[in-house]
Amino acid sequence: MTLEKQKTTIIFAVPALLIITAFLGNLFVEGWNWSPFDFAMAAVLLFGTAFFINLVIKSKKPLLTKLMICFIILLLLALVWIELAVGIFGTPFAGN
């Protein structure tokens, strides 16, 4: 039981550390200009990804299946993040 709680804590600590790192970068790095909306969107994407990965890890599926599903979840996160940042697909949500 404790091991599951530790896994969950680690899974949700990673996005928290990434958001903190982005906040510090926004304060101290020249040219890093995230708005509050950018932080909110990053938090939704990162913690949403952590939530779904946590669900997959807790499932009763075989290890290989869990790894493949987690890989797909992370790939989707990367594609959405890249689209929002630079617009590789040219959607209306694309960045500059």
Side-chain angles (χ1 to χ4, degrees):
M1 189 67 158
T2 304
L3 187 59
E4 282 187 34
K5 287 182 182 180
Q6 289 173 340
K7 284 181 188 178
T8 301
T9 302
I10 291 170
I11 289 171
F12 284 98
V14 171
L17 289 173
L18 290 171
I19 293 292
I20 291 169
T21 302
F23 180 73
L24 292 174
N26 205 37
L27 290 177
F28 299 114
V29 176
E30 183 73 28
W32 190 319
N33 298 321
W34 278 22
S35 69
F37 178 76
D38 294 329
F39 281 102
M41 184 59 63
V44 167
L45 288 172
L46 292 173
F47 284 105
T49 300
F51 172 77
F52 286 115
I53 286 178
N54 193 39
L55 283 179
V56 170
I57 289 175
K58 288 183 176 183
S59 71
K60 303 285 186 210
K61 299 189 181 305
L63 178 62
L64 184 59
T65 304
K66 289 180 184 182
L67 288 174
M68 289 183 350
I69 294 171
C70 286
F71 176 77
I72 291 168
I73 291 169
L74 291 172
L75 181 64
L76 288 172
L77 169 68
L79 288 173
V80 169
W81 195 287
I82 292 168
E83 175 62 20
L84 291 173
V86 295
I88 58 173
F89 300 117
T91 65
F93 307 109
N96 308 9

